[in-house]
């Protein structure tokens, strides 16, 4: 190396050490220091130090757009993937990672908490692997890496000339899984039908049930005579005037539930009026 180039490398090395020292002393220092350190790391041949810097940088310290532009200019693909991922742009991260490293793409595909997004990312990886892989058994191994994928999800990515023998065990496994799920749903439906029947039977019993209320009974909330207005009687024996019970319950309900309770109360009052008129 020429003397000037050696000197330049030494100057960059000392600059990096100085900036790292500044950040270590004050992690909340100006973004310009972080951005300059990023630029110096991106100018190095090896990407390891840059990735380590990105991993250790506190959230919000870097200007992501600037970081992406610098890393793209210096062809630091893994760093670009890291930045996309830190911005929650997982699709962009996986697409870019697939250009250089499938393992990196898989690592980023597992990061989202949203299962639909995660499945979509793994389908991108599956399509990439299948299009580049002639050995179907190796391509099928992706099903073991992501439990969100099923054989029917990746079949469209295979060439038409691929025979079904290549997927026989996976297809059988998928059919058995569907059969178990159908059995589970059938059991749930039977339980639901049985519960529904029992509820209807209880309703029928309640319609025929009669409770006697002595004339001198008072409202359990207000102490007013129960015959002074419409009332509710419960199997426990407690009796409440309708208005008192409504006023007592309303504060514990949501606004929507309060509106619904008042509407039902009005409907019952109108029904009582119609019944009185008919008599």
């Amino acid at each position: 190396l020429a003397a000037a180039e050696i000197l330049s490398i030494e100057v960059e090395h000392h600059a990096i050490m100085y900036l790292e020292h500044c950040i270590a002393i004050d992690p909340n220092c100006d973004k310009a220091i972080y951005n300059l350190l990023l630029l110096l790391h991106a100018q190095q041949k090896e990407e390891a130090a840059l990735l380590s810097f990105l991993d250790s940088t506190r959230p919000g310290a870097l200007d992501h757009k600037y970081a992406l532009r610098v890393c793209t200019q210096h062809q630091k693909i893994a760093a670009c993937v890291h930045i996309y991922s830190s911005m929650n742009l997982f699709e962009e991260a996986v697409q870019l990672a697939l250009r250089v490293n499938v393992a990196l793409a898989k690592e980023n595909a597992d990061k989202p908490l949203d299962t639909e997004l995660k499945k979509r990312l793994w389908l991108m990886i599956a399509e990439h692997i299948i299009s580049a892989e002639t050995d179907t058994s190796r391509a099928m191994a992706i099903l073991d890496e992501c439990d969100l994928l099923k054989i029917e999800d990746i079949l469209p990515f295979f060439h038409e000339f691929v025979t079904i023998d290549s997927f026989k065990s996976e297809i059988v496994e998928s059919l058995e899984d569907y059969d178990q799920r159908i059995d589970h749903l059938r059991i749930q439906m039977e339980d639901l039908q049985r519960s529904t029947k029992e509820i209807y039977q209880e309703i029928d019993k309640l319609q025929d049930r009669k409770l006697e209320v002595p004339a001198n009974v008072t409202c359990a909330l207000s102490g007013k005579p129960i015959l002074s207005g419409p009332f509710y009687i419960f199997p426990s024996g407690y009796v409440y005037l309708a208005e008192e019970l409504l006023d007592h319950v309303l504060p514990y309900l949501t606004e929507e539930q309060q509106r619904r309770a008042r509407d039902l109360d009005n409907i019952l009052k109108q029904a009582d009026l119609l019944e009185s008129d008919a008599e």
Side-chain angles (χ1 to χ4, degrees):
L1 293 176
E5 189 173 352
I6 293 174
L7 180 60
S8 176
I9 293 174
E10 288 183 355
V11 169
E12 284 189 0
H13 177 68
H14 286 299
I16 289 172
M17 290 181 62
Y18 173 73
L19 293 174
E20 287 177 342
H21 175 69
C22 291
I23 291 174
I25 293 175
D26 182 15
N28 296 315
C29 61
D30 195 271
K31 273 188 179 182
I33 295 177
Y34 281 94
N35 290 341
L36 178 55
L37 183 53
L38 171 85
L39 175 61
L40 292 174
H41 276 309
Q43 290 172 343
Q44 309 305 307
K45 289 184 178 180
E46 298 297 327
E47 201 169 357
L50 174 59
L51 291 172
S52 177
F53 167 69
L54 291 173
D55 275 331
S56 60
T57 300
R58 64 177 177 81
L62 277 174
D63 181 338
H64 284 136
K65 291 183 179 179
Y66 173 79
L68 274 174
R69 185 165 64 252
V70 168
C71 292
T72 301
Q73 288 173 349
H74 292 84
Q75 298 182 349
K76 297 297 190 283
I77 304 300
C80 289
V81 171
H82 188 290
I83 295 167
Y84 275 129
S85 182
S86 66
M87 297 169 68
N88 291 329
L89 299 174
F90 298 111
E91 291 194 43
E92 289 81 354
V94 170
Q95 286 175 347
L96 187 59
L98 286 173
R99 291 167 47 184
V100 292
N101 190 326
V102 174
L104 182 60
K106 292 177 180 178
E107 178 184 334
N108 282 273
D110 270 333
K111 289 182 178 180
L113 298 177
D114 183 352
T115 55
E116 288 298 321
L117 174 58
K118 185 181 291 188
K119 182 177 181 179
R120 191 160 66 247
L121 296 176
W122 274 98
L123 284 173
M124 290 167 54
I125 297 171
E127 184 175 11
H128 174 84
I129 292 175
I130 292 168
S131 62
E133 185 62 69
T134 55
D135 185 351
T136 56
S137 61
R138 292 180 61 183
M140 294 295 288
I142 196 169
L143 295 178
D144 297 325
E145 298 181 70
C146 178
D147 56 6
L148 296 175
L149 297 184
K150 304 296 182 184
I151 179 64
E152 59 269 26
D153 296 322
I154 66 172
L155 276 178
F157 300 143
F158 287 94
H159 298 294
E160 294 181 2
F161 58 80
V162 177
T163 62
I164 196 172
D165 290 340
S166 305
F167 319 111
K168 186 175 181 180
S169 61
E170 286 81 7
I171 291 175
V172 170
E173 183 180 343
S174 180
L175 291 174
E176 289 175 348
D177 180 56
Y178 274 117
D179 190 49
Q180 290 177 357
R181 287 161 63 184
I182 290 171
D183 285 341
H184 180 66
L185 288 173
R186 179 178 53 78
I187 292 172
Q188 284 185 322
M189 289 176 64
E190 290 175 352
D191 289 341
L192 180 60
Q193 289 175 347
R194 184 165 50 254
S195 298
T196 303
K197 185 177 179 180
E198 290 174 355
I199 290 171
Y200 278 121
Q201 289 174 346
E202 289 296 323
I203 291 173
D204 289 339
K205 289 179 182 178
L206 287 173
Q207 288 177 345
D208 297 332
R209 186 173 181 178
K210 295 180 181 179
L211 294 174
E212 293 183 0
V213 182
N216 61 347
V217 172
T218 58
C219 173
L221 288 171
S222 65
K224 295 178 182 178
I226 206 67
L227 296 179
S228 61
F231 62 86
Y232 294 101
I233 180 169
F234 292 85
S236 61
Y238 283 96
V239 186
Y240 303 91
L241 285 168
E243 289 292 339
E244 298 292 340
L245 184 59
L246 182 64
D247 291 340
H248 179 76
V249 170
L250 283 178
Y252 300 98
L253 304 180
T254 63
E255 290 185 5
E256 179 61 31
Q257 289 172 335
Q258 288 179 10
R259 284 194 296 269
R260 179 60 176 160
R262 290 192 179 99
D263 289 342
L264 291 173
D265 185 54
N266 290 331
I267 291 171
L268 290 172
K269 286 178 179 177
Q270 291 174 5
D272 289 340
L273 288 174
L274 290 173
E275 187 176 348
S276 299
D277 293 343
E279 293 176 355

